[in-house]
Amino acid sequence: MSRYLSPQRVAILALICVYTDGVVLSHAAVPVLSFIVSNAVVAKAGKCSMSSTNELLDVSLQHFEKVLAVHTSGIPGRTVWDLFLKRLWEINCFDAFDVFFTSLEYTLQQTRKELTISTSRSLPTSPDAILLSRKSPLGILVRRAQIEFRRLQVHNALSLWKDFIQYKAPSYSSWKRRNPGASDTSFDVSLIQEGLTLEDRLPSIIYDRPLSNTPEHHASTADVERLLEFQVDRMQMYGMRIDEAIKTQLECVARSALTLPSLIHYVKFLDAWKAGDYPSSFDFLHRYFDYTMQNRDRAFYQYALLNLAILHADFGCFSEAVSAMEEAISTARENKDTSCLNYSLSWLASFGKSHPSELAEIRKSGVLGTEREALSFLKAKARETNMWSLLSTSLLSEARLTITNGEGLQGAFECIIKASHLNISKNIANAVGSQLAMQMSLYNRLGESLIASLTNTVFMECYAEQSPTEDRLHCVTSSACMLAQAGRYRDALAIMDLIDTEALRTLKYRQHWLAYVGLLKLEHSILRGDLIAADRFMFQLRATPPPNQVFDFTLKLKAIEQEMRRKDYAKAMEALEDTAASLPEEDVDIFQQIKLLIMRARILDRAGVPEKGLSVATRAVKMAHKAQILPVLYEAAQALARVLLSLREFAAAAALLDSIMPQVLECNDCELTGNGFTIIGDAHIGMAGEAKGESLWKRKEKVTKALSYFERAEVEFGRIVDVNGQCESLAKKGMILMMAGDKSLAEGCAARYIGIQKAAREDYL
């Protein structure tokens, strides 16, 4: 394997010679130059497209023919492909191969030193010939090719010559049609002069492998490094495993090469890591940094520790991860590597948010300071070092901290707008997903489900391809949860299937995806009253580690809901206490605190002692109002209204819910809406029962309103297939109709009640 030259690059040089001969017409110049630049003059692998990089090791002559055969040349009756083919087959011996590289000098402009010499060039140039600037991309390519060829030892040059013969062998049939006098030994004029054929012994000794049309990978070390750099950049940016096509190419190159860049061990490490193979990833990581440390001393030691810490954290070894990250921070500070230091501190702050118990000792020592102080430090350092991606992430983290602490939404919106401006002005495309995900979370907390859904649509349509897989997965799961709240379970499961199967090859993302699919099915089973299926889903979800803290908390709430559906309120209260005890002592999300207060008030109400939940519900309403988390505020108001109903304050309960029902409808949460209509209906029935001194018409009006509210509650519960909610609404509706003397409609309600329960039992079976 040559360090830079390869048969593909020799063919590109031949095409450059055709272009500099001045025979490429103006209409064909742009396609020809685009083909040259896209295949040979790409400065950074990260800027390559996926398709061009996949074909980097396999640029066959078919690619040349596809581009060149459609363009006519300056010579009548000849296409650019014909002239390119002629140029290839003019290199018909190793001496001509050497002369070809020597003659590349005449495609370049003369230097000042050459211009001062009176003697002209030994080879005359055509008046239409184009001379390349030595500093142009094509000029740099030509000059480097000459230098690399001069550096080759004889056996390496011969190997390159043999690879070039095999590379151009598939075009022999095309060359034979244009030149009937060509023979199967036209690749080497020396064989023709000696009258030898391929069956003779001498050609078989010189060319140790027969010429065939079987494609092989003849890549240089530079091409392989470029491919590996692209793959590392892609895997780190999108969090995906190595593509199967590229893996096949690398295996072919590895079989034909004597040495490979050490970066291939890092690619294998990333692939094993994403596949969940902890021992192999650990081994490949050590192997890669063992190779790099030999040449670069300790310059990259901190990155080895950084990767090791992240690897330990992904596989649940949190104490080892913290220890490795502390050493990485110390080494980065010692080597004055600001980029690594800032990233390590950012990761440690994020890790401490997800696993606060692991950093409890460090926080007590005061080394890290508070979370807000850490974010302020990261923002300052990011501005100093122009690390705009880190600055954007820090701003979004500050917005998340503001929301979590319930400090008002103005500061959160300010941070999001700053991050958005930074992403647009600095063209940080891969950070837009995190920004829009934060906006979705904020809109959901404001109860604006429509705007949140539109934000998700904007992300999926415009930014999904440029964003990491983790952001795409987060937006898809958030959208599925919103659809499930509206009762569209089939659509929710269908949108979960939009995740690319290539992304699900990564173990972490597949576990995340399976966890949320299981959560949707668990919620649906609980609402349908199929507690046996719910127990199975709960067992499966608890058997695997939760993908994040939010999911873990949601799963615990579903477990409490499950016990409430069984009417085992003592066990539900016990599960509630365990959940509250599992929350961290500091930096608790105020949303979780309010949800636990609401669940406590609901348990007390269902247990028949709603008066004990008055202070709890009032506190929940106050906290939700202060934090401006509107859906939770409406849920807390419903809990408070149930307490008011138990205290026979029917008018106050009805007035409370009447004031929030328009906003509740905007949340697009069927369960929240159905509970609201049920409570208002109960309040109107209570007011009708107390209105003994009023006219019969007013009492009948209140009963009619209650009937309409129960009907609307039944519709909302029917959308999410909440069997208990539907049956309760139908029972209340039938009782009202029976008391009103309308037995036919009451019997219809009873029939529907029985039909819903029968259908639910059949679903269980």
Side-chain angles (χ1 to χ4, degrees), residues 594 619-630 632-633 636:
I594 299 171
R619 184 183 174 192
V621 170
K622 183 179 179 181
M623 292 176 64
H625 183 267
K626 182 179 180 180
Q628 300 177 356
I629 310 177
L630 300 188
V632 180
L633 173 62

Side-chain angles (χ1 to χ4, degrees), residues 30-252:
V30 173
V32 170
L33 291 175
S34 299
F35 180 78
I36 294 172
V37 170
S38 62
N39 287 281
V41 198
V42 179
K44 293 184 180 179
K47 297 182 180 180
C48 303
S49 65
M50 184 63 188
S51 60
S52 64
T53 309
N54 281 344
E55 297 174 355
L56 178 61
L57 301 182
D58 194 21
V59 184
S60 64
L61 290 180
Q62 293 179 354
H63 296 82
F64 285 87
E65 184 177 7
K66 183 179 179 180
V67 174
L68 305 179
V70 296
H71 299 292
T72 58
S73 67
I75 300 177
R78 295 289 185 269
T79 62
V80 180
W81 165 250
D82 296 332
L83 301 180
F84 170 71
L85 204 61
K86 179 175 179 294
R87 177 71 67 164
L88 285 183
W89 285 91
E90 282 179 349
I91 308 174
N92 52 11
C93 63
F94 184 66
D95 181 64
F97 193 60
D98 182 75
V99 170
F100 169 74
F101 279 95
T102 304
S103 63
L104 290 176
E105 179 68 27
Y106 301 100
T107 63
L108 302 173
Q109 292 178 352
Q110 290 179 302
T111 62
R112 290 185 178 181
K113 184 177 180 180
E114 291 174 341
L115 290 174
T116 57
I117 300 175
S118 58
T119 57
S120 60
R121 288 181 168 179
S122 58
L123 291 179
T125 57
S126 170
D128 298 328
I130 300 173
L131 295 179
L132 303 175
S133 171
R134 291 178 176 269
K135 295 182 180 180
S136 66
L138 297 187
I140 294 173
L141 172 64
V142 169
R143 290 167 57 200
R144 183 175 179 185
Q146 284 184 300
I147 294 172
E148 293 292 342
F149 185 76
R150 294 192 192 110
R151 288 177 177 175
L152 288 179
Q153 297 182 4
V154 175
H155 68 278
N156 290 331
L158 283 172
S159 178
L160 178 62
W161 160 244
K162 293 175 184 179
D163 290 341
F164 178 69
I165 291 175
Q166 191 171 11
Y167 178 76
K168 70 177 182 180
S171 66
Y172 173 71
S173 57
S174 300
W175 177 246
K176 178 76 173 176
R177 286 196 303 269
R178 292 164 176 78
N179 298 272
S183 63
D184 56 357
T185 56
S186 296
F187 62 87
D188 193 340
V189 70
S190 302
L191 300 179
I192 299 176
Q193 292 173 355
E194 296 296 332
L196 299 174
T197 63
L198 293 178
E199 287 74 18
D200 294 327
R201 183 166 179 77
L202 182 59
S204 64
I205 295 175
I206 298 175
Y207 303 103
D208 51 355
R209 54 180 181 269
L211 301 180
S212 64
N213 291 336
T214 304
E216 293 188 12
H217 296 285
H218 305 289
S220 64
T221 306
D223 292 336
V224 176
E225 286 182 349
R226 177 179 158 199
L227 178 63
L228 293 175
E229 288 172 1
F230 169 82
Q231 193 61 35
V232 169
D233 183 69
R234 177 179 173 81
M235 294 173 75
Q236 289 181 336
M237 180 178 295
Y238 298 105
M240 299 173 65
R241 293 182 61 188
I242 186 171
D243 188 79
E244 289 294 338
I246 297 182
K247 183 183 290 186
T248 304
Q249 289 180 340
L250 289 176
E251 290 174 353
C252 294

Side-chain angles (χ1 to χ4, degrees), residues 371-385:
E371 186 174 358
R372 194 170 294 279
E373 290 174 350
L375 290 175
S376 300
F377 174 80
L378 287 174
K379 288 193 297 181
K381 291 299 181 181
R383 288 191 180 95
E384 290 177 6
T385 56

Side-chain angles (χ1 to χ4, degrees), residues 239-395:
M240 299 173 65
R241 293 182 61 188
I242 186 171
D243 188 79
E244 289 294 338
I246 297 182
K247 183 183 290 186
T248 304
Q249 289 180 340
L250 289 176
E251 290 174 353
C252 294
V253 172
R255 286 194 296 267
S256 62
L258 297 177
T259 59
L260 282 175
S262 60
L263 193 61
I264 194 170
H265 299 300
Y266 192 71
V267 172
K268 291 180 179 179
F269 152 69
L270 292 176
D271 188 57
W273 173 20
K274 300 303 179 183
D277 188 353
Y278 179 71
S280 297
S281 58
F282 195 81
D283 178 58
F284 284 126
L285 178 63
H286 278 275
R287 189 175 300 179
Y288 168 69
F289 281 102
D290 284 344
Y291 279 108
T292 55
M293 289 281 287
Q294 293 176 2
N295 301 323
R296 301 175 182 177
D297 201 8
R298 289 176 58 88
F300 285 80
Y301 181 56
Q302 62 269 22
Y303 290 100
L305 295 168
L306 175 62
N307 281 275
L308 184 61
I310 299 174
L311 180 65
H312 281 312
D314 270 8
F315 286 97
C317 305
F318 301 128
S319 58
E320 292 86 348
V322 173
S323 176
M325 188 57 72
E326 288 180 335
E327 190 175 352
I329 292 173
S330 301
T331 309
R333 187 179 291 118
E334 178 185 343
N335 293 338
K336 298 181 180 180
D337 190 341
T338 309
S339 300
C340 182
L341 178 62
N342 291 343
Y343 184 83
S344 301
L345 290 172
S346 176
W347 184 90
L348 195 62
S350 177
F351 178 81
K353 190 68 178 176
S354 303
H355 306 89
S357 59
E358 299 296 333
L359 296 182
E361 296 297 328
I362 301 177
R363 292 189 184 279
K364 288 179 181 178
S365 63
V367 175
L368 294 179
T370 63
E371 186 174 358
R372 194 170 294 279
E373 290 174 350
L375 290 175
S376 300
F377 174 80
L378 287 174
K379 288 193 297 181
K381 291 299 181 181
R383 288 191 180 95
E384 290 177 6
T385 56
N386 294 337
M387 297 178 64
W388 307 121
S389 179
L390 177 61
L391 180 58
S392 176
T393 304
S394 301
L395 288 170

Side-chain angles (χ1 to χ4, degrees), residues 604 608-615 643 646-647:
L604 293 173
V609 283
E611 299 83 0
K612 292 184 178 181
L614 178 61
S615 60
V643 176
S646 66
L647 298 176

Side-chain angles (χ1 to χ4, degrees), residues 334-470:
E334 178 185 343
N335 293 338
K336 298 181 180 180
D337 190 341
T338 309
S339 300
C340 182
L341 178 62
N342 291 343
Y343 184 83
S344 301
L345 290 172
S346 176
W347 184 90
L348 195 62
S350 177
F351 178 81
K353 190 68 178 176
S354 303
H355 306 89
S357 59
E358 299 296 333
L359 296 182
E361 296 297 328
I362 301 177
R363 292 189 184 279
K364 288 179 181 178
S365 63
V367 175
L368 294 179
T370 63
E371 186 174 358
R372 194 170 294 279
E373 290 174 350
L375 290 175
S376 300
F377 174 80
L378 287 174
K379 288 193 297 181
K381 291 299 181 181
R383 288 191 180 95
E384 290 177 6
T385 56
N386 294 337
M387 297 178 64
W388 307 121
S389 179
L390 177 61
L391 180 58
S392 176
T393 304
S394 301
L395 288 170
L396 294 178
S397 298
E398 186 176 357
R400 185 180 294 107
L401 179 63
T402 302
I403 297 172
T404 300
N405 294 340
E407 298 175 0
L409 303 180
Q410 296 84 358
F413 270 115
E414 180 182 356
C415 292
I416 291 176
I417 291 172
K418 287 180 179 179
S420 176
H421 172 73
L422 193 64
N423 294 337
I424 295 172
S425 59
K426 303 299 181 181
N427 193 25
I428 313 173
N430 59 347
V432 176
S434 301
Q435 171 213 323
L436 293 179
M438 180 59 63
Q439 287 183 221
M440 284 178 57
S441 175
L442 203 54
Y443 289 137
N444 280 325
R445 293 205 172 195
L446 285 172
E448 299 293 342
S449 60
L450 178 59
I451 302 179
S453 178
L454 290 176
T455 304
N456 178 76
T457 303
V458 168
F459 170 77
M460 296 302 296
E461 293 293 333
C462 303
Y463 300 101
E465 294 182 358
Q466 310 171 53
S467 300
T469 306
E470 188 173 2

